[in-house]
Amino acid sequence: MQEFGSLEDAPAWIRQDNFTVLESLHPKSESAPRSVEQVKISENDQKKKGGKPVSLLKEVSNGFLPAGNALATDHPFGTKVDQQEKNSSPQKGRLDRQEVRSHRRERLLSNSAKNTQDSGAEVSEVRSSTAQVVLDNTHNCISHSVANKMARSLLDQTEHLSPTIPKVLHVQKSYAKSRTEDHSLKKRRQLNGFASHVHKKEKVSEPEVTKDILLEARTLIPNGCCDLATSDGSYHVGGNSNAEFKGVNTPEKMGKSQAHDEMFQTEVFTKQSAERKELAHGNLISIEKPVAYVHLDRREHIPSVLSRNKSKDINCLMRRAETYKVEAFSSSCEYKASCSTLPKSVAENFDSEGLFLEQLQDSLKEGNCQSALEALKAWKIKRQQVGTRQIEDGFSQGEGHEMGADVPGRTKGFVVSYDISRGLEKLLISCVNECNTDVLPENFLYVKKSVIRQAAHVDISFSRIGDLHCCCADDCLRSSEACKCTDSTRGQYAYDENGRLIERLAIGYVSGCTTINGDFITECCDKCRCSMKCGNRIVQRGITRKLQVFMTRKKGWGVRALEKIPARTFVFEYLGEIATNSEQYERNLEYKANGVYTYTMCLDADLDMENKHFKDGLTDQEALVLDATIFGNVSRFVNHRCNDANLFMRPVQIETRDTHYYHAAFFAARDIEEMEELTWDYGIDFEDDTHLLKAFKCYCKSSLCRDKMGLLKQDKGRKVKLIKSNQ
Ligand SMILES: C[S@@+](CC[C@H](N)C(=O)[O-])C[C@H]1O[C@@H](n2cnc3c(N)ncnc32)[C@H](O)[C@@H]1O
């Protein structure tokens, strides 16, 4: 087996893309060349080399990666490389090099045997741990980044001690072989003197990079090492997801623009342009029958991508938002198997991946393999203790809540997106699917503000807001006198000093679309003198609680809290397209035909319940609705629960004092537990079949469910019907 004398001998993509994290930690790796690489991918290659069957690719083309094993088999760390090795016969030139290298290694080994105190047993243990972790890295997001870091560290540090780290070297060898073949072919052509002739005569057709090819490419290229796009730029997968699951460069930690720059870069080459680049950079990976060339450079920015597909800008962005960070994650059972009996106290020292890595690196710097090994084991124990939950990012793997391990045969889930908001929210809003293979709808675009549809008359001009007498300097809540903004709440600020809704406004809310309590909350606005820190600006500051979109068993997507949310806390605002009732009617006809979920909410807080018309004389047709089918935020995933939902809605005025249009703000109806699903009572009358869109079959599981026979005591109409039907 061919081996590499040092890490520098390893191919660039192993050194850089799989182990990027360590670049900052190891000065040695910083010097590694960061050149452009192009990858040629063959559709047939997969089958020939024992790769993944086509059916799996179908799954991948849904926009997610099958949990763990799909990558494990096709990933260069997996069986594909082994197969390649078996099928190929060694070449003469390479044997010579191998000999040179093995001599060099033998020298290194004999030196290290003399110089080092580390025992052979320790070394081989570290080695096998490394190989194990490298293998694990396709199974788990956390372990992916951890594995990369560890593998790189251990390779760097123990290279002189460890003659073989089997899987890593398999990859290196396979890569080297393809390069050798590629180069020897070029050399032969040059020797024959007809290289340019061949180039000219060769009829090179422009490869069409389709979505399927793209997704196939995605399975061949290590996680997150590059962005991929179809030829027309309309579909985009992969992405520099390392930046996020490394936990180093989240949009929160770096400037947003930088985050975006790093996330959205791509270039798909034609065959000719790739070959030109190959000549320029000399590092094209050769696989038979090239069909797709993927540029691994990370410098291209969004505008250039967008400018190529102007008509598709929005779709393109949307698709990318949902797919660029699709990664598989799985349960920690692999760790359980390999876990040793290290004292728990050691494991408890590692509260986070960061601490663990610190210790690991310190140990490695000191050349203390034993300590490095302990760090490895401790981390595994920690993972085991935490059980199904990942430590830092709060990604649950499903046990102990609605979609737990009770689902037969389901042990794995997918991170569909690390941030469905594409960096628009202050917090990442992740999306996981632990139930089935669905990904987020392609036509949905996350927005931070509602969008006004044609006929909806929404006047948000400041000129309509009179003199507010909002004289407070900084924080209205601290002023001795309540300002004009409290007029609608009877001279009382709507929020307390903790930013939670005051109790008076939290009681008496009515489930469903309508609030009859009558108090509109008025927040300070840009016309006020106070600062953004003012305690009377809560809804406008946006989401501050950790939330996650997840797949429920029977209700489609839902939203859950990733942390405790105290009662009366603002959670989110319902955003969507603002439309009139009549505009929406047309849309609903379409929706009905397509059988889609409904995401429409009526803005009818101004409805006079007794007289059944709007207070300012609006007709039903002119009344506004929010439709979050296409444009919306996390709130559009909130499911319904009859009567005892944990969220309620309050109308909030910010930039207008017009009661026709307002912000639909959702607050916690009671203390909400971590991992609890957020629900809202849509106010549906399940017996009413006069609506255009038929009510869904309710799976809220509430004991007060209105869609259950005999349970609805308070709904007289239904009771009568039930009695009648019993007769
Ligand atoms: C605003 S959406 C909620 C998000 C939706 N589950 C999704 O996957 O996008 C409303 C739709 O979700 C489904 N849904 C919400 N609550 C439900 C419940 N309690 N039982 C069954 N389906 C529910 C219904 O199909 C409804 O039309």
Side-chain angles (χ1 to χ4, degrees), residues 186-199:
K186 271 199 285 179
K187 220 171 179 178
R188 266 209 313 278
R189 282 176 173 177
Q190 274 157 15
L191 287 177
N192 290 340
F194 65 91
S196 53
H197 174 71
V198 170
H199 264 289

Side-chain angles (χ1 to χ4, degrees), residues 449-450 458-466 468 521-527 539-540 573 575 578 652-658 661-663:
K449 280 185 177 170
S450 288
V458 180
D459 190 349
I460 50 170
S461 130
F462 277 147
S463 59
R464 294 192 65 211
I465 303 178
L468 292 175
I521 294 165
T522 306
E523 290 201 352
C524 292
C525 66
D526 289 0
K527 214 172 177 180
V539 172
Q540 58 194 277
E573 176 188 343
L575 298 179
I578 307 167
V652 177
Q653 298 171 321
I654 303 176
E655 56 288 87
T656 172
R657 300 298 181 251
D658 183 354
Y661 167 71
Y662 53 86
H663 296 262

Side-chain angles (χ1 to χ4, degrees), residues 441 551-552 554-558 574 596-600 635-642 682 684 686 694 696-701:
M551 180 56 75
T552 66
K554 291 185 172 170
K555 300 175 289 187
W557 296 106
Y574 197 88
V596 296
Y597 289 131
T598 51
Y599 301 92
T600 315
S635 66
R636 63 96 81 179
F637 296 106
V638 167
N639 285 320
H640 159 87
R641 186 174 169 97
C642 298
Y682 296 177
I684 294 175
F686 288 95
K694 249 183 106 51
F696 47 85
K697 186 168 171 5
C698 185
Y699 292 108
C700 75
K701 290 190 191 160

Side-chain angles (χ1 to χ4, degrees), residues 50-174:
K52 186 168 20 147
V54 177
S55 61
L56 268 178
L57 295 176
K58 282 275 184 308
E59 277 182 87
V60 174
S61 72
N62 284 336
F64 70 95
L65 293 178
N69 43 9
L71 274 177
T73 51
D74 263 2
H75 195 278
F77 291 134
T79 57
K80 188 173 169 54
V81 174
D82 296 344
Q83 286 286 345
Q84 224 170 342
E85 241 173 85
K86 269 186 214 164
N87 296 344
S88 64
S89 58
Q91 291 170 10
K92 181 110 186 43
R94 274 186 53 220
L95 275 177
D96 294 344
R97 256 198 300 280
Q98 274 180 325
E99 274 167 25
V100 171
R101 286 209 169 107
S102 75
H103 282 313
R104 184 155 25 126
R105 183 165 303 284
E106 270 166 30
R107 269 208 316 277
L108 277 169
L109 273 174
S110 63
N111 285 344
S112 64
K114 279 176 216 151
N115 297 338
T116 184
Q117 297 293 317
D118 294 295
S119 73
E122 267 174 18
V123 171
S124 78
E125 209 172 348
V126 171
R127 228 168 40 222
S128 63
S129 299
T130 310
Q132 178 59 44
V133 175
V134 171
L135 284 175
D136 284 350
N137 81 356
T138 52
H139 292 285
N140 193 295
C141 275
I142 277 269
S143 77
H144 176 94
S145 60
V146 172
N148 286 343
K149 292 167 194 173
M150 288 190 303
R152 180 66 182 272
S153 294
L154 292 169
L155 276 172
D156 277 349
Q157 301 291 326
T158 61
E159 178 64 19
H160 63 294
L161 302 172
S162 51
T164 51
I165 295 176
K167 289 293 171 188
V168 174
L169 292 180
H170 268 316
V171 177
Q172 293 173 339
K173 182 180 173 184
S174 146

Side-chain angles (χ1 to χ4, degrees), residues 383-430:
R383 298 259 330 177
Q384 193 180 20
Q385 283 171 344
V386 173
T388 58
R389 297 217 31 223
Q390 290 189 8
I391 290 167
E392 280 186 322
D393 57 11
F395 287 114
S396 139
Q397 295 182 2
E399 283 173 16
H401 64 94
E402 188 188 56
M403 309 158 346
D406 55 334
V407 182
R410 188 186 62 72
T411 54
K412 293 179 180 181
F414 302 92
V415 178
V416 176
S417 169
Y418 275 74
D419 184 13
I420 62 166
S421 87
R422 300 176 283 117
L424 291 177
E425 301 289 359
K426 289 179 207 140
L427 303 171
L428 300 177
I429 299 184
S430 54

